[in-house]
Amino acid sequence: MAATTPPTEPEALSPKFPKLQSVRLRAIITGFILCFFVCYVPANQVYSVIFSLMVPPVSALLFMVGLNFFLRKISPRLAYNQTDLLVIFGICAVACACAAEWINVTNMATWSYPLRDTDGTVRDYLTKYMPDWLVFKDLKTVQDFRGGGHEIGYAIGKIPLFLPQWIAWGSLFFSISFATLCINSLMRGAWCERERLSFPLIQLPVALAENGGNGPIWRSRYMWIAFGVMFAIDMLNGFNYLYPNVPSIPMKTIFDIRAVFKDPPLSNIGDFRISIYPYMAAIGLFMPSDLLLSFVVFFLLRKATHVVLASYGIPQDTFSGTGLTPGPPYFDEQTWGAVFAMFLGSIWVSKNYLKEVWRDIRKGAKPEDGGVTHRWAFVGLIVSFCVCVGFGLVGGLPLWYMVPYVAAFLIFSIVLTRIRAQLGPPTHEFAFFGPTSLMSRFVGTRWITDAQAAYVGQVFMYMNRLFRTHPMPFQLETMKMGQLNQTRQRPIFILIACAVIVGFFLGSFYQTANSYRTGNVGWSGVENYVQNLVKDRHGPDVMGITMTIFGFIMVMLLDAIRFKFPGFPLHPAGYVLSMNFGVDYYWFGLLVALLVKNFVQRYYGLRGYDKLRAVALGILIAEYLAETIWMIMAMATHQSTYTISFNDRSLGVQ
C-alpha cells in the first residue's frame, strides 16, 4: 500500500478565507469533558508530560479516533469530523500544558510552608515574607497532608479552603498566559501563513485526525510494521519492569558515559548518556537536518567546555553555568544573549507584517480568518502585561525592575514558540533559566531586600524553573491546526483562553488531591533562587554581561554565515536549545535520526522519505499507545510501571 503524504494546506487559505468553518458545540463539550481526565495525569504521572508532544492529549485523540470507528459503524452522522478532532486535541493540549510543570512549581507553595519549616530558607524568608493571601502559614490548616491517606473525596471537601489562594495564583497565571495568547493572535498571520513554518509537532495529531480518524495513515503498511515492532518492544519492556525474569530490549539509557570517568576533569562532564528514546528519534525525523546536527554539535561542545574548565580547577557538573549554580561556563548568560538575538531576527523577518498589524490596530480592521481583531489582541496584551507587572509591585518590587522582567520573559516565550513552530524540538527544558538570573546579572542584587527576594523567588518561580510545557507553543499549534482546516479563529481564541483557566484549576486541584493521598510536599528549587539572591550580594556582573553579549554575537554570526552560505549546517536554534540541560537525555537518538534521515533522502529520495515518515508515525503511535496503557495502569493500581519517558516512575505508591 502507498505510504502517507503530509497534509497540504487548502488553496483557499491564500489570500482569502471564503469557506470558514465554525467550531461545533459537540467538539467543545467533548474537549472540556476530556480535560478532566487529561489534567489528572500531570499531577499523578508527571513523567508522561515532560516533552514537547505530551502523552495525555495524544491519548485523548487516540481514544476519539477509536470511538469514531464505532460511531461510523452505527451512523456516519454521529462521527466526529477532522475539525472536531483537532479542536478537541487543541483544548486538551492547552489545558494539559497549563496543568503541568508551572503548576508543579507553584501550587505546593500554597500549603507546604508549615510542613517544611525545618528548612532555614522556608522558615526565615518564605514563611516570613510571603503574603497570607497567597500561602498558608498555620500548621493546623495543613497538617492533614502529613502521612497522606486521603482519597479524592476528602480533597473535594477542601476546595473552599484553597479556592481564594487558587484564584489569586490563577489571576497571575492567566494574565501571562493571556498575554502569550494575544501575541500568538497578533503573529498568527506571519507564523501560520506567510512564513509557512513547518510545525513538525502537529504532524502526528493531524495525521491521526485526518478524515475524521480514517485518513491514509491507517492504510500504510510501513506505519503498521513500525507500529507492531515498537508496540511489542514497549509491552515486552513493560512486563520486564513488572517481572524481571521476562527479557527486555533496552530503548532508554543504554550506557552512561559519565560512569566510566572516575577522576577529574573527565568526571566533571555531567549527565552524558547513550540513549535512544524511539519517540524522540521519530520526532527528530520530522526536524530539519541542520537542526539535528546543531543539537548534537553544540551539546558535545557544552560537554567539552565542562571538561576544559575542570582541568583548570573550576569544578563542573550538569547544571554548572545555569540559574541554579551561576558562574562559569555562563551557559545561562549565553542563552539569554542568543534569545535576544533570535528575537531581533524574528522581528526583522516579520517587519513588513508588523507594519500591517500596526495599521490594523489603528484602523480596527477585521481579520480575514474570522479571528479576534488585532486591536483587541493588542489591548489584551497591554492589560495582561500590566497585571503581571502589578503583581510584582504588590510585593514591593520596583517598576523599573518589573517592566523589563516581564518583557524579558515574553521575549523568551516568543523565541521558544517560534523555534518550536519552525523546527519542532522533542523537548525544550531550559532548566533553571529565567528573568531572575538575567536581572540579577544586569542590575545586581545589593539593592534587593530579603522580602523582595522571597517574593520574586516564589511568586515568579514558574518563569524561572522549567519550560517543557510552556503554554504558548501549544496555543499557536492549536491556531495552526484551525488554520489548516479553515476554522474561524475567534472561537479558537476563546476556547484556548477557557482551556487555560480549566487547566489551571484542574491542575491545582488534582495536585492538591495527590498530595493529600500520598503525603508528598514537593520541591521546586525556589530555596536555591532565594539563597542566590540573599547570600551573594553584588552589583552588576561584568563577566555575566560580557557572556550575554557573547551569546548574542554568536547567534548573529551564525545567521550571517547562513545568509552568505545557505548550505552551512549549524543552526542558531541548536545553540540556544543545547546550552541548557534537556538534550542530554536524547542527543544520541537525534544523531541516529540524522544518519537515518540523510541516508534515506540521499539514496531513496522523496518517495523514500515519505515511507520513512510513515515509519516515524508508526513509532509515535506505538510509543504513545503503550505509554497510555502503562500510565493508566500506574494510576489505577497506584504502583510503579514502565514508562517510555526519561526517568522511571518512582517506586512504591504512585
Side-chain angles (χ1 to χ4, degrees):
M1 296 182 186
T4 60
T5 56
T8 57
E9 298 189 33
E11 293 296 328
L13 291 178
S14 180
K16 301 293 183 181
F17 297 78
K19 298 180 180 180
L20 291 175
Q21 299 185 53
S22 298
V23 178
R24 298 204 294 181
L25 181 61
R26 63 184 310 197
I28 297 172
I29 294 173
T30 304
F32 283 109
I33 289 175
L34 288 174
C35 284
F36 283 87
F37 302 96
V38 166
C39 294
Y40 183 80
V41 177
N44 293 272
Q45 296 298 326
V46 65
Y47 293 134
S48 297
V49 295
I50 59 175
F51 26 90
S52 300
L53 189 59
M54 300 179 294
V55 173
V58 177
S59 301
L61 183 56
L62 287 171
F63 168 77
M64 292 303 303
V65 169
L67 177 63
N68 242 17
F69 174 80
F70 293 103
L71 291 177
R72 280 194 299 269
K73 296 291 185 182
I74 300 171
S75 172
R77 300 181 68 178
L78 295 176
Y80 292 81
N81 62 34
Q82 177 173 319
T83 300
D84 294 335
L85 294 179
L86 290 178
V87 167
I88 291 169
F89 176 81
I91 291 172
C92 290
V94 172
C96 187
C98 294
E101 288 176 334
W102 283 9
I103 299 295
N104 289 338
V105 302
T106 57
N107 181 60
M108 288 187 181
T110 303
W111 46 262
S112 66
Y113 288 172
L115 303 174
R116 293 190 290 147
D117 59 356
T118 56
D119 184 291
T121 304
V122 173
R123 182 185 61 250
D124 300 334
Y125 294 96
L126 296 172
T127 302
K128 183 177 180 180
Y129 295 116
M130 281 293 292
D132 294 343
W133 52 276
L134 284 177
V135 301
F136 293 113
K137 299 180 181 179
D138 184 1
L139 179 60
K140 294 180 180 179
T141 306
V142 297
Q143 62 183 353
D144 49 353
F145 279 101
R146 283 183 171 165
H150 301 289
E151 293 303 324
I152 196 167
Y154 185 85
I156 291 174
K158 291 286 185 176
I159 289 177
L161 175 66
F162 292 98
L163 191 57
Q165 274 76 14
W166 288 345
I167 292 174
W169 284 104
S171 60
L172 172 62
F173 188 94
F174 181 76
S175 65
I176 197 67
S177 298
F178 193 72
T180 61
L181 176 58
C182 290
I183 293 172
N184 280 329
S185 182
L186 290 168
M187 295 302 299
R188 69 181 185 276
W191 294 341
C192 295
E193 298 169 37
R194 298 196 183 185
E195 298 178 29
R196 301 183 71 84
L197 304 181
S198 58
F199 289 85
L201 290 169
I202 70 171
Q203 291 212 34
L204 176 63
V206 168
L208 291 176
E210 193 170 359
N211 195 25
N214 192 31
I217 184 60
W218 303 109
R219 295 183 289 276
S220 168
R221 68 174 181 269
Y222 300 101
M223 187 282 288
W224 282 114
I225 292 172
F227 171 87
V229 172
M230 193 69 252
F231 187 73
I233 291 174
D234 283 333
M235 297 308 291
L236 179 67
N237 289 343
F239 285 114
N240 168 264
Y241 187 92
L242 298 174
Y243 310 103
N245 289 333
V246 175
S248 67
I249 302 176
M251 286 284 108
K252 296 167 67 172
T253 300
I254 300 172
F255 182 71
D256 186 357
I257 297 177
R258 183 180 188 178
V260 176
F261 305 126
K262 305 298 183 182
D263 302 311
L266 291 176
S267 62
N268 287 195
I269 201 168
D271 194 306
F272 200 6
R273 319 178 191 191
I274 299 294
S275 307
I276 298 294
Y277 296 104
Y279 66 99
M280 293 283 189
I283 291 174
L285 294 174
F286 299 135
M287 297 165 58
S289 296
D290 57 350
L291 181 62
L292 289 171
L293 179 63
S294 302
F295 255 111
V296 176
V297 169
F298 286 116
F299 166 75
L300 295 176
L301 286 175
R302 172 157 67 88
K303 291 301 173 185
T305 303
H306 284 309
V307 174
V308 170
L309 289 177
S311 68
Y312 283 94
I314 304 175
Q316 295 290 293
D317 207 335
T318 301
F319 293 106
S320 295
T322 68
L324 182 64
T325 54
Y330 301 101
F331 290 136
D332 185 275
E333 289 83 349
Q334 292 183 55
T335 305
W336 267 115
V339 164
F340 288 133
M342 294 197 73
F343 175 73
L344 290 179
S346 66
I347 293 297
W348 176 258
V349 169
S350 304
K351 61 182 184 299
N352 292 330
Y353 173 81
L354 289 173
K355 291 178 182 178
E356 295 177 16
V357 168
W358 181 245
R359 181 197 62 203
D360 291 344
I361 291 172
R362 289 187 292 106
K363 294 183 177 180
K366 294 182 178 180
E368 295 178 338
D369 60 2
V372 174
T373 65
H374 291 326
R375 173 179 291 177
W376 281 112
F378 182 72
V379 171
L381 172 60
I382 297 300
V383 171
S384 299
F385 184 90
C386 291
V387 171
C388 293
V389 171
F391 257 85
L393 301 182
V394 169
L397 294 164
L399 183 65
W400 61 263
Y401 180 85
M402 284 308 304
V403 169
Y405 189 100
V406 177
F409 179 74
L410 290 178
I411 287 173
F412 163 72
S413 301
I414 291 169
V415 171
L416 171 62
T417 300
R418 196 178 185 283
I419 287 176
R420 176 161 158 160
Q422 182 180 12
L423 305 169
T427 186
H428 34 75
E429 187 153 332
F430 290 94
F432 305 103
F433 174 85
T436 295
S437 60
L438 175 71
M439 296 300 295
S440 297
R441 185 177 315 124
F442 278 84
V443 302
T445 57
R446 288 177 184 159
W447 61 274
I448 199 167
T449 66
D450 290 350
Q452 290 170 328
Y455 190 86
V456 72
Q458 180 63 79
V459 173
F460 297 100
M461 184 63 186
Y462 73 100
M463 290 187 180
N464 294 274
R465 176 62 181 92
L466 285 167
F467 304 103
R468 292 178 292 202
T469 60
H470 193 307
M472 186 173 179
F474 295 95
Q475 296 170 352
L476 181 65
E477 286 164 1
T478 302
M479 290 180 173
K480 175 62 177 179
M481 289 185 290
Q483 182 245 352
L484 285 173
N485 286 278
Q486 301 187 44
T487 307
R488 293 185 183 278
Q489 288 291 333
R490 180 188 295 272
I492 291 178
F493 181 97
I494 296 171
L495 290 175
I496 291 173
C498 293
V500 169
I501 298 172
V502 170
F504 173 82
F505 282 102
L506 285 178
S508 298
F509 168 74
Y510 284 139
Q511 188 188 71
T512 303
N514 176 266
S515 296
Y516 269 124
R517 181 173 62 82
T518 62
N520 175 32
V521 298
W523 172 85
S524 67
V526 64
E527 298 90 345
N528 302 86
Y529 279 89
V530 175
Q531 286 295 321
N532 285 343
L533 290 172
V534 301
K535 297 299 183 183
D536 182 24
R537 303 289 189 176
H538 60 79
D541 182 357
V542 176
M543 179 56 71
I545 294 173
T546 301
M547 294 306 294
T548 303
I549 296 172
F550 173 81
F552 183 91
I553 294 174
M554 185 71 175
V555 167
M556 299 300 289
L557 182 62
L558 286 172
D559 273 336
I561 294 174
R562 287 172 62 85
F563 180 78
K564 189 171 183 62
F565 305 101
F568 186 70
L570 295 182
H571 196 289
Y575 174 67
V576 173
L577 293 165
S578 297
M579 285 296 100
N580 285 268
F581 183 76
V583 71
D584 308 55
Y585 293 118
Y586 57 89
W587 68 274
F588 185 77
L590 293 188
L591 177 60
V592 172
L594 173 65
L595 297 176
V596 171
K597 181 179 179 180
N598 284 352
F599 176 82
V600 170
Q601 288 180 326
R602 180 171 182 176
Y603 294 103
Y604 296 95
L606 183 60
R607 180 173 297 181
Y609 178 72
D610 192 45
K611 297 174 182 177
L612 183 63
R613 177 181 178 274
V615 170
L617 290 173
I619 293 173
L620 286 170
I621 295 170
E623 288 261 89
Y624 279 74
L625 179 59
E627 177 68 8
T628 300
I629 293 171
W630 295 120
M631 175 184 76
I632 292 174
M633 182 176 176
M635 291 187 293
T637 63
H638 298 319
Q639 296 297 320
S640 182
T641 62
Y642 178 75
T643 176
I644 66 172
S645 190
F646 305 143
N647 303 306
D648 287 337
R649 305 187 207 276
S650 56
L651 295 175
V653 177
Q654 292 294 303

